Amino acid sequence: TLMRRVLGEKAPAPTNASGQMDMFGQKSEELVTESIAEAQQEAIPAIMGNIENTPHFYHLIDSADSRQSLLSYLLKQNEVCFDTETTSVNAYEADLVGLAFSYVAGEAYYVPMPSDPAKAKAVIQEFLPFFQSEEILKIGQNLKYDVLVLKKYDIEVKGKIFDTMIAHYLLEPDTRHNMDFLAEQYLNYHPVSIETLIGKKGKNQGNMQEVPIEKVKEYAAEDADITLQLKYVFAEALKEQGLEKLYDEVEAPLIEVLAQIEYDGVKVDTDTLAQLSEELELDSRSLEKEIYATAGESFNIASPKQLGDILFNKLKLIDKPKKTKSGQYATGEEILSRLANEHDIARQILDFRELQKLKSTYVDALPSLISRTDGRIHTSYNQAVAATGRLSSTNPNLQNIPIRTAKGRAIRKAFVPRSEQYTILAADYSQIELRIMAAFAKDESMIAAFREGRDIHATTASKVFKVGLEEVTDEMRRKAKTANFGIIYGISAFGLSQRLNIPRKEAGDIIEAYFQEFPAVKQYMDDVIQQAREKEYVETLMGRRRYLRDINSRNATLRGFAERNAINAPIQGSAADIIKLAMIKIQQWMQAEGLQSR
């Protein structure tokens, strides 16, 4: 964008991909492409475009005849952008308000839906031939949401899809991917804000059914139009950066897989959760009394200030305690974990916090997220959040329910099969990241340990501590395990000493012994950092990129962080790619076999 503004570089004018006439009998060139092209032949002006100052043709399609006419034009296209307007950001609970379509830049069509669900379903079914066409590329922004909404209306979106949010995520994994940001960044255009229609977020926010149809038409049509224009930009960029294979084989097919998982949801046993809530409450109270007894007085455990005073002023657990920016004593998990082995009160507080978190975040919160429609929880799997390529989960986060404690594991018992006919099966890769590291580094001894099915952590301990496999103690294995995973993250002697609660010299000796025994791993790490310095990015097996803009920084802290990312990102990202491919292939296999499994 800067280049175009300053140097006046010419941007290609968007064209109608199929060369079709538009549904009002004018060729796209005669409509807006000329005016857009003219504007783009000059340097993009400093004034940002918006719906008021940009030529556009947005049409309301509100009769059976005009819907049939629109459908006939949609079916003649090679690619069409579509967007759903709904009553909620929660796709599973949302009702459809309207549909917008665009296949020529600057022009779009809005189809409002009747408020009666049965009538709305009848209208949307008219567009079934378009959604089921295998030939037409469907374009959208965050298409998983639209696919999910349409599933409720018995519409399956078939054929290839192009999701501008996911495409941008592959191109720039560390930035934002929402449509307003992308439009401003790549098109120098400021779209209409949803808040101008339904108000700011909060309990008083309205919904799209209450907005005058003319305003909804302009807003929805603009969304489809701008997303279509973003597609032109991102499709070219994916090709230039060699990311088409990753998009076509991993990210695009995964959208349908995730939509199906979210749509199916998971059943939760509320009786189990209610019982667990009571147990956690009793355990918390019991721990609270223990903490007060150890401290010699009662205080507000949730107050960092009061807790800091007790631990460091009264009990004097550390000579020189760390302080936060506000001048209070630091009482975070990292500090307490270091003190837990020597001081009962630190361990008690950590346990108390764990119980409180389990109760508030999971046990008491999960029942409120159960859908009234089918009695299941429908989480959201986010494909465009973690820069490494991993998925994340929200509302609720089902990916990191704690398992280190018995109470944490008990929460998982509340997730049950949907009926007597089903059972839950768990499958996972064993030590996938270490296997990938062994393969990348071509380390013969590590590869041999995996091939022979040996315990990789015990094998590492045996080599690092120079003892026979049968002589490895639990403590040795624990240290080797931490080293194994720490090495993947480019851990330093200081970092390892913190994690294992051992002197820095001992941690340094472990790392040195590790690299002596696994020299290929050390060579791989050095090579990766060197390549990253030259390219300023690293890649996974599938070509997923992680940009490392600080890899050549003069600031040692920033550079060190980038170097650790350089080592870790290809390993963690390749693991994510492999898991995603497995999800896609398992889903395709289950569908091909006609299985009832989900």
Side-chain angles (χ1 to χ4, degrees):
T1 305
L2 191 64
M3 199 179 195
R4 290 204 298 271
R5 284 188 197 171
V6 177
L7 303 177
E9 298 280 319
K10 291 181 181 179
T15 58
N16 180 356
S18 61
Q20 293 292 332
M21 303 278 279
D22 91 296
M23 69 175 279
F24 290 95
Q26 299 148 292
K27 280 205 111 171
S28 61
E29 293 91 327
E30 294 165 17
L31 282 163
V32 287
T33 313
E34 277 182 17
S35 55
I36 288 174
E38 280 166 20
Q40 289 181 329
Q41 295 310 316
E42 306 162 18
I44 289 183
I47 298 168
M48 190 167 278
N50 60 44
I51 204 159
E52 303 294 334
N53 64 18
T54 304
H56 63 275
F57 296 84
Y58 297 158
H59 311 284
L60 184 65
I61 307 297
D62 58 354
S63 68
D65 285 349
S66 59
R67 288 196 297 269
Q68 280 308 305
S69 179
L70 172 60
L71 177 64
S72 70
Y73 278 92
L74 294 178
L75 294 175
K76 290 172 185 170
Q77 307 307 314
N78 295 328
E79 51 186 55
V80 175
C81 180
F82 81 92
D83 183 40
T84 58
E85 289 308 324
T86 64
T87 55
S88 170
V89 291
N90 181 332
Y92 196 78
E93 304 295 335
D95 292 322
L96 199 58
V97 174
L99 273 173
F101 298 94
S102 177
Y103 53 87
V104 178
E107 179 157 11
Y109 309 89
Y110 178 66
V111 184
M113 295 292 147
S115 54
D116 177 84
K119 288 178 181 172
K121 192 169 183 177
V123 170
I124 185 107
Q125 287 288 325
E126 292 176 22
F127 291 91
L128 194 63
F130 162 73
F131 287 114
Q132 293 203 322
S133 168
E134 299 276 0
E135 279 73 49
I136 304 167
L137 175 75
K138 321 292 189 305
I139 300 161
Q141 164 79 6
N142 188 14
L143 271 171
K144 175 162 67 71
Y145 177 89
D146 303 296
V147 167
L148 255 172
V149 170
L150 292 172
K151 275 183 189 291
K152 283 179 61 183
Y153 292 85
D154 298 332
I155 298 271
E156 293 292 329
V157 178
K158 295 189 175 172
K160 284 196 167 185
I161 55 176
F162 190 97
D163 189 325
T164 48
M165 180 181 80
I166 302 299
H168 186 256
Y169 166 66
L170 295 183
L171 294 163
E172 292 281 350
D174 289 296
T175 61
R176 288 179 289 159
H177 314 292
N178 62 309
M179 198 202 77
D180 289 5
F181 173 75
L182 299 180
E184 290 178 11
Q185 191 83 356
Y186 293 91
L187 304 174
N188 195 40
Y189 186 92
H190 181 67
V192 175
S193 163
I194 182 102
E195 290 185 353
T196 61
L197 274 66
I198 60 171
K200 293 197 180 297
K201 280 182 183 173
K203 60 179 182 182
N204 296 323
Q205 191 176 46
N207 74 54
M208 288 304 255
Q209 275 176 334
E210 299 157 359
V211 181
I213 202 160
E214 187 59 32
K215 283 190 172 182
V216 180
K217 179 218 30 167
E218 290 287 292
Y219 170 82
E222 181 192 61
D223 269 7
D225 172 23
I226 294 302
T227 302
L228 178 73
Q229 293 183 45
L230 286 169
K231 184 265 174 185
Y232 298 141
V233 177
F234 296 156
E236 195 59 39
L238 287 178
K239 192 184 289 183
E240 282 172 12
Q241 295 190 25
L243 291 165
E244 281 183 309
K245 181 181 160 87
L246 178 62
Y247 178 83
D248 290 337
E249 293 182 19
V250 181
E251 298 297 350
L254 188 70
I255 292 169
E256 171 55 35
V257 176
L258 294 177
Q260 191 62 52
I261 294 172
E262 289 180 24
Y263 185 77
D264 289 333
V266 61
K267 194 174 176 189
V268 175
D269 183 346
T270 49
D271 293 340
T272 300
L273 289 175
Q275 185 187 336
L276 196 53
S277 184
E278 284 177 26
E279 289 173 20
L280 288 169
E281 182 64 31
L282 291 171
D283 289 351
S284 291
R285 284 183 193 166
S286 170
L287 255 176
E288 204 169 29
K289 285 175 186 168
E290 284 181 35
I291 291 166
Y292 295 157
T294 311
E297 64 177 275
S298 58
F299 63 98
N300 181 357
I301 302 169
S303 161
K305 185 178 188 309
Q306 291 184 35
L307 179 60
D309 285 341
I310 293 286
L311 297 181
F312 305 120
N313 282 341
K314 183 179 180 183
L315 300 177
K316 300 200 179 334
L317 301 190
I318 309 177
D319 287 336
K320 293 179 180 173
K322 264 176 89 172
K323 288 193 174 183
T324 63
K325 285 177 184 172
S326 61
Q328 287 178 184
Y329 291 117
T331 57
E333 189 177 347
E334 191 185 325
I335 305 272
L336 295 180
S337 296
R338 261 183 268 155
L339 298 170
N341 290 340
E342 298 166 43
H343 303 281
D344 285 347
I345 193 165
R347 181 184 47 74
Q348 289 164 349
I349 290 162
L350 284 172
D351 291 346
F352 178 79
R353 284 181 181 174
E354 175 80 355
L355 295 179
Q356 294 281 296
K357 185 182 175 185
L358 290 177
K359 191 172 185 304
S360 62
T361 310
Y362 298 106
V363 177
D364 294 344
L366 287 172
S368 67
L369 293 164
I370 294 171
S371 168
R372 292 189 300 274
T373 313
D374 63 1
R376 296 186 208 138
I377 281 179
H378 300 267
T379 186
S380 250
Y381 287 104
N382 309 311
Q383 224 175 321
V385 171
T388 54
R390 282 181 173 179
L391 297 170
S392 70
S393 154
T394 47
N395 296 327
N397 183 346
L398 296 183
Q399 286 193 178
N400 67 349
I401 294 171
I403 56 163
R404 284 179 305 189
T405 60
K407 285 283 187 278
R409 288 190 291 275
I411 293 174
R412 298 192 170 205
K413 290 178 187 168
F415 292 91
V416 293
R418 62 176 63 192
S419 70
E420 294 289 318
Q421 283 77 46
Y422 286 80
T423 189
I424 290 178
L425 168 74
D428 199 0
Y429 284 104
S430 162
Q431 316 287 6
I432 185 168
E433 292 187 351
L434 288 176
R435 289 172 193 268
I436 289 170
M437 184 169 78
F440 279 2
K442 300 182 175 66
D443 190 288
E444 293 303 329
S445 53
M446 208 179 262
I447 290 169
F450 280 124
R451 287 219 170 117
E452 292 161 21
R454 280 186 271 135
D455 178 334
I456 188 67
H457 303 311
T459 302
T460 302
S462 162
K463 287 181 172 293
V464 169
F465 296 109
K466 311 255 185 311
V467 295
L469 205 54
E470 63 288 342
E471 296 169 59
V472 170
T473 64
D474 287 347
E475 182 61 13
M476 286 176 179
R477 186 185 182 277
R478 183 178 78 87
K479 287 178 178 176
K481 182 178 181 179
T482 306
N484 266 334
F485 288 116
I487 298 295
I488 292 175
Y489 291 90
I491 203 166
S492 64
F494 175 73
L496 189 60
S497 73
Q498 294 276 320
R499 281 199 203 175
L500 289 172
N501 213 4
I502 57 175
R504 199 163 171 175
K505 176 159 189 335
E506 188 187 337
D509 291 343
I510 289 174
I511 290 176
E512 198 175 318
Y514 189 101
F515 287 142
Q516 280 174 358
E517 290 300 326
F518 301 108
V521 172
K522 178 76 175 99
Q523 188 61 50
Y524 162 73
M525 289 166 69
D526 292 343
D527 291 348
V528 162
I529 289 170
Q530 188 51 44
Q531 286 166 16
R533 284 194 182 123
E534 291 165 14
K535 295 180 176 176
E536 296 201 340
Y537 66 83
V538 287
E539 286 183 308
T540 67
L541 281 170
M542 291 292 293
R544 183 186 303 280
R545 288 185 183 183
R546 182 79 194 270
Y547 291 94
L548 304 162
R549 293 174 175 93
D550 294 321
I551 194 78
N552 293 309
S553 171
R554 290 183 191 176
N555 181 317
T557 307
L558 291 175
R559 190 174 65 248
F561 183 70
E563 286 173 357
R564 288 193 290 279
N565 266 335
I567 294 162
N568 172 242
I571 296 168
Q572 202 180 97
S574 294
D577 292 345
I578 290 168
I579 294 275
K580 286 175 173 179
L581 283 168
M583 290 168 74
I584 294 160
K585 289 181 178 179
I586 290 166
Q587 169 106 330
Q588 288 171 346
W589 169 75
M590 288 196 301
Q591 286 174 341
E593 295 291 321
L595 303 180
Q596 288 182 53
S597 304
R598 296 280 184 262

